[in-house]
Amino acid sequence: MLKGKKIVLGITGSIAAYKAALLVRLLVKEGAEVQVIMTPSAKEFITPLTLSTLSGRAVLSEFFHSESGAWNSHVELGLWADAMIVAPATAATIGKMAGGIADNLLVTTYLSMKAPVLVAPAMDLDMYAHPSTQRNLDILRSYGNHIIEPAEGELASHLKGKGRMEEPQNIVERLRELFFVKGPLAGKKILVTAGPTYEKIDPVRFIGNYSSGKMGFAIAHECARAGAEVTLVAGPVALPTPHASIKRVDVESARQMHAASSEAFRACDAAILCAAVADYRPSQQADKKIKRTDENMTIELEANPDIAASLGAVKREGQLLAGFALETNDALSNARLKLKKKNLDFIVLNSLEDKGAGFAVDTNKVTIIDDSGATEYPLKSKAAVARDIVAHLARLFMMLVLLFAPLTIEAQELNATVSLNTSKVQGTNTEVFTVLKDALTEFINNRRWTEYTYEEYERIACNFTFVVDGYSDDGSFTCSLMVQGSRPVFGSTYSSTLFKYEDKGIKFTYQPYDRLEFNEDNLDNNLTAVIAFYAYLIIGLDMDSMGELGGSEFLNRALNIANNAQNLGDSGWRAGSSNNNRYTVIDDYMNGAMEPLRRLYYKYHRLGLDTMFKDAEAGRKVITECMTMLQEAYNNRPLAYITKLFTEYKQDEFVNLYSFEGGAAEKQGVVKILSEINPSQSDAWDRILRTR
Ligand code: PMT
């Protein structure tokens, strides 16, 4: 999955720098190209020679090459990279990144970085816990950077606590997830315009308006968070670029905005035009400051291009175009007129008659209008309004997919990505791994696990990531398996995780070109039994999410496999051997005590998440109600592992759902339940409470 990816690895002066060598090796082994940048103090802990040998590239550290005087271009590195990892990241470097203190090559490269950034802190426990460090990490999070929380354990100071840099294997895993995780706008290119335009009268005066750019920047931010590649054409505003991956083009006049937008739109899938563009500009622009006289003065104005209308005129099939309407009277009818006249797919109406809406404020009150009708939203933060707009856009993209999709396709149920990480078993013949990966992909994706006919777009996305812990030439394997299944959220391209679990110590034998056989009633192959178990479990949970307890047939099949596999010599099947193995996971799901959790699957996904894309507030309320069902399942069996597991794989979703939405009492109620079930994720739950 990392093959061909270009990674900038920033190393800072921490005792954990020695782990960077393994990190480079793992990345290179996965096929990534790695460019190491070291801060001067990092060189006290590990030599550049070690890292350049492992990465196959000269390590960069200074702004200029000492002998040739050549400039090490951080700008080019920012454009070159697919991702940047800062590991280990000291408190000092985190502070500099948060504050934009560009006094070394690592930080200047970070500031120029167009790609996602992962930060793996390493420091003493008190430094890590200090409010200053935590505030800086929050700032990095708000820039869209991914913080890889340090682990707990013995630190260089011999104290025990949180501060150890995460293990290189796990950092690589996070990187893989980053490339795999798809937001609702993943793969889409979106143009956003924002801010006012200034139309020059003379060198010191202009015609402009009160737009601050806040609304447009919030939309650009939300599109980037949703996985889109965003070009932000910004008029003169005093706002920082809201997300590291956004390409920003600064302009001043309407004509400049027109040129930049027309250029960008050609390559885009959609545009959201939020800028307050001046409709007129002075016909003449004086070279010198116009002097005051006692006479009245008239400025002749001529029409500026209508950017929205000109993009509407060249819009291709499949491209989507959205505009804004800022009205002071007859709001709805004027907005509808603009929707038609400019050939828009939807228009976002905001009216200056509404208190707290429009220019400069941090809130807005909008109505989204398209051919199917008008949806009015309450007053919200501009960030929340941006989320509603992105959800609407994602829904329209989904409808386009459905429109162009063939009606019925004979498709199997699972759409799995299989990967095999073999970094732990070196020096062995790699053919077996390639062949096994292909065989597994074929086995999982081409087999019909049910009698139902699935549409192509209904196939369940899942990941089977094997880490080969041991292999010998007689074909015997010991593996860990990270298995994850997710379901699409109706009306968007966002996927919600249904199940994610790490299964350790799986033993099986495989020789190249062995056929992978599976017979549910006569299990004789541990590998295919494990795969079939998870296939049925994921299908069952997917069906539970579609209709209340709808997946019983498939969950029962998974239970059947667990019962019949007791003699396959794998402790993961053994009843009662642990509260965290395959047998207990399925036994828990099928136990009446856990029924509230299974009922929750339907309510949470079908009535909660699916609704959110039409009405975020209503959907979230349903999800909050689901917390009571989770609590009920937990109270029924506090030691059952699956309630805890559920909170783990839904953790990011919960944080996203509640961080910026919901009242204080609602958040506290949710966090109380989550903290009781899973106190080990207290950092995440605190994040829900910390944000406004
Ligand atoms: O920037 P903020 O302070 O956060 O304020 C946000 C906002 C009020 C500016 C924003 O929410 C908004 O309403 N933007 C559109 C303002 C506007 O120019 O509306 P309009 O009704 O005049 O234009 C209709 C649409 O045509 C808009 O999408 C506009 O971008 C576009 N347009 C207008 C004129 C023109 N010459 N070219 C255009 O493309």
Side-chain angles (χ1 to χ4, degrees):
M1 191 165 296
L2 298 181
K3 196 165 183 330
K5 295 284 183 215
K6 300 185 177 76
I7 313 293
V8 167
L9 173 61
I11 304 173
T12 71
S14 154
I15 191 81
Y18 76 92
K19 291 187 185 173
L22 178 57
L23 184 53
V24 175
R25 238 187 63 205
L26 293 176
L27 290 169
V28 169
K29 203 154 192 295
E30 293 251 338
E33 281 181 61
V34 183
Q35 175 61 63
V36 174
I37 302 180
M38 299 176 83
T39 59
S41 59
K43 293 191 235 167
E44 307 284 336
F45 294 91
I46 183 167
T47 69
L49 183 63
T50 308
L51 296 161
S52 60
T53 310
L54 289 171
S55 65
R57 284 171 163 262
V59 167
L60 302 178
S61 183
E62 310 298 333
F63 288 112
F64 295 95
H65 193 276
S66 57
E67 276 155 27
S68 68
W71 185 49
N72 290 323
S73 172
H74 52 90
V75 180
E76 275 171 26
L77 282 171
L79 292 170
W80 173 82
D82 294 307
M84 178 175 187
I85 307 174
V86 184
T90 55
T93 293
I94 290 169
K96 287 181 188 179
M97 289 163 73
I101 300 169
D103 66 351
N104 64 42
L105 187 67
L106 191 155
V107 181
T108 48
T109 305
Y110 165 72
L111 295 179
S112 306
M113 190 50 59
K114 299 280 176 238
V117 179
L118 291 91
V119 180
M123 63 196 77
D124 207 42
L125 74 162
D126 294 321
M127 288 174 79
Y128 182 71
H130 196 279
S132 154
T133 310
Q134 288 304 314
R135 196 193 54 223
N136 286 332
L137 287 170
D138 277 345
I139 292 175
L140 295 188
R141 281 190 192 97
S142 75
Y143 297 159
N145 301 160
H146 304 264
I147 309 300
I148 303 177
E149 302 274 341
E152 303 221 6
E154 183 161 350
L155 304 167
S157 59
H158 301 301
L159 294 172
K160 280 202 172 122
K162 192 165 181 177
R164 278 169 70 95
M165 185 181 103
E166 184 53 281
E167 291 307 316
Q169 287 86 348
N170 296 339
I171 296 177
V172 172
E173 191 52 43
R174 286 293 296 271
L175 189 65
R176 271 202 225 104
E177 279 177 20
L178 187 79
F179 287 123
F180 178 76
V181 166
K182 291 195 171 22
L185 296 181
K188 300 286 183 220
K189 291 189 177 139
I190 313 279
L191 161 70
V192 179
T193 67
T197 63
Y198 286 179
E199 310 299 324
K200 260 193 186 152
I201 299 171
D202 70 13
V204 297
R205 303 179 181 94
F206 59 83
I207 296 173
N209 59 62
Y210 296 114
S211 170
S212 62
K214 285 180 185 172
M215 188 67 251
F217 274 54
I219 293 170
H221 186 208
E222 206 46 46
C223 288
R225 271 170 40 106
E229 217 178 285
V230 179
T231 303
L232 172 61
V233 177
V237 293
L239 294 175
T241 308
H243 193 283
S245 70
I246 292 174
K247 179 179 170 213
R248 174 170 175 170
V249 184
D250 285 308
V251 296
E252 186 173 297
S253 67
R255 282 189 295 178
Q256 289 168 352
M257 186 173 276
H258 182 224
S261 304
S262 305
E263 165 73 25
F265 189 57
R266 276 196 283 278
C268 279
D269 301 289
I272 305 177
L273 307 176
C274 182
V277 187
D279 283 314
Y280 296 94
R281 65 176 180 276
S283 308
Q284 305 287 333
Q285 295 173 2
D287 291 344
K288 303 262 164 1
K289 185 179 172 191
I290 299 170
K291 293 273 177 289
R292 184 199 148 82
T293 67
D294 288 336
E295 303 297 311
N296 285 346
M297 173 178 176
T298 307
I299 298 177
E300 190 183 284
L301 300 177
E302 64 182 74
N304 265 332
D306 184 329
I307 303 170
S310 78
L311 299 188
V314 298
K315 188 174 67 169
R316 297 187 305 270
E317 192 167 277
Q319 256 183 332
L320 294 174
L321 185 61
F324 267 70
L326 180 62
E327 303 298 337
T328 53
N329 55 292
D330 301 326
L332 263 177
S333 57
N334 281 336
R336 284 209 166 96
L337 221 62
K338 285 178 185 168
L339 177 77
K340 282 266 155 313
K341 215 170 118 196
K342 300 182 190 231
N343 193 22
L344 305 176
D345 294 284
F346 68 94
I347 194 159
V348 183
L349 162 67
N350 43 186
S351 167
L352 291 186
E353 285 178 313
D354 287 321
K355 206 162 169 283
F359 288 130
V361 286
D362 290 324
T363 50
N364 208 355
K365 183 172 183 317
V366 303
T367 303
I368 299 183
I369 305 164
D370 61 17
D371 282 345
S372 65
T375 312
E376 202 179 328
Y377 293 84
L379 185 74
K380 295 179 175 194
S381 68
K382 282 187 172 162
V385 171
R387 282 199 283 280
D388 291 335
I389 293 169
V390 164
H392 194 83
L393 182 69
R395 198 139 56 90
L396 292 190
F397 273 127
M398 179 59 122
M399 277 155 72
L400 285 180
V401 171
L402 299 186
L403 208 65
F404 294 118
L407 273 179
T408 38
I409 297 166
E410 278 285 302
Q412 278 66 44
E413 304 79 9
L414 297 178
N415 186 9
T417 304
V418 177
S419 39
L420 216 61
N421 179 339
T422 55
S423 56
K424 291 187 185 167
V425 282
Q426 284 138 28
T428 43
N429 173 8
T430 56
E431 188 198 355
V432 62
F433 302 131
T434 316
V435 179
L436 175 59
K437 178 174 172 267
D438 290 347
L440 282 167
T441 308
E442 208 260 350
F443 178 72
I444 301 169
N445 286 335
N446 290 356
R447 191 182 170 86
R448 297 215 51 179
W449 298 100
T450 75
E451 298 297 307
Y452 296 99
T453 303
Y454 272 63
E455 306 279 343
E456 180 77 28
Y457 63 85
E458 288 174 324
R459 299 182 72 191
I460 305 167
C462 48
N463 277 343
F464 286 77
T465 305
F466 289 86
V467 176
V468 183
D469 296 314
Y471 169 72
S472 60
D473 289 340
D474 64 358
S476 52
F477 280 79
T478 308
C479 284
S480 310
L481 167 64
M482 177 60 89
V483 57
Q484 177 184 14
S486 46
R487 100 193 255 287
V489 174
F490 178 76
S492 82
T493 44
Y494 172 70
S495 285
S496 176
T497 302
L498 290 169
F499 182 76
K500 186 172 175 186
Y501 180 68
E502 190 178 9
D503 192 335
K504 294 193 174 131
I506 303 169
K507 291 190 188 315
F508 59 89
T509 54
Y510 179 82
Q511 299 285 2
Y513 307 104
D514 275 357
R515 268 184 68 81
L516 293 182
E517 310 272 12
F518 168 69
N519 178 346
E520 194 166 333
D521 303 317
N522 185 13
L523 300 178
D524 58 0
N525 178 324
N526 195 40
L527 176 62
T528 54
V530 170
I531 299 288
F533 170 80
Y534 287 117
Y536 286 139
L537 181 65
I538 289 170
I539 293 169
L541 293 178
D542 184 64
M543 290 195 167
D544 267 1
S545 82
M546 301 291 183
E548 211 181 33
L549 304 179
S552 299
E553 176 189 342
F554 297 96
L555 293 175
N556 267 322
R557 284 197 179 176
L559 181 62
N560 228 7
I561 294 176
N563 280 326
N564 293 342
Q566 297 294 321
N567 57 358
L568 286 178
D570 176 339
S571 61
W573 298 117
R574 211 154 295 143
S577 70
S578 145
N579 75 340
N580 166 11
N581 73 359
R582 257 163 266 140
Y583 184 86
T584 37
V585 165
I586 192 62
D587 194 45
D588 277 348
Y589 276 118
M590 300 318 286
N591 187 304
M594 284 294 127
E595 205 179 288
L597 180 70
R598 282 193 56 206
R599 289 190 192 279
L600 169 156
Y601 259 74
Y602 170 68
K603 187 163 179 178
Y604 181 100
H605 296 97
R606 197 72 193 88
L607 308 182
L609 281 186
D610 283 354
T611 303
M612 284 201 75
F613 279 82
K614 273 190 263 131
D615 185 342
E617 184 81 13
R620 198 198 64 247
K621 282 203 175 121
V622 173
I623 289 173
T624 302
E625 285 164 24
C626 289
M627 294 294 168
T628 321
M629 301 166 86
L630 182 62
Q631 173 91 67
E632 196 187 333
Y634 175 75
N635 289 347
N636 287 349
R637 284 183 71 185
L639 293 181
Y641 179 64
I642 55 169
T643 41
K644 184 164 184 251
L645 186 66
F646 180 83
T647 63
E648 255 157 43
Y649 56 72
K650 290 288 191 192
Q651 177 191 302
D652 286 348
E653 201 163 273
F654 292 150
V655 173
N656 281 336
L657 281 171
Y658 288 103
S659 286
F660 297 98
E661 299 281 353
E666 183 181 6
K667 288 180 183 191
Q668 274 159 8
V670 168
V671 165
K672 186 167 173 284
I673 295 171
L674 294 173
S675 307
E676 189 184 351
I677 296 174
N678 195 344
S680 66
Q681 307 292 314
S682 59
D683 277 2
W685 314 144
D686 283 352
R687 237 179 298 146
I688 293 178
L689 293 179
R690 272 210 305 273
T691 43
R692 96 197 122 75

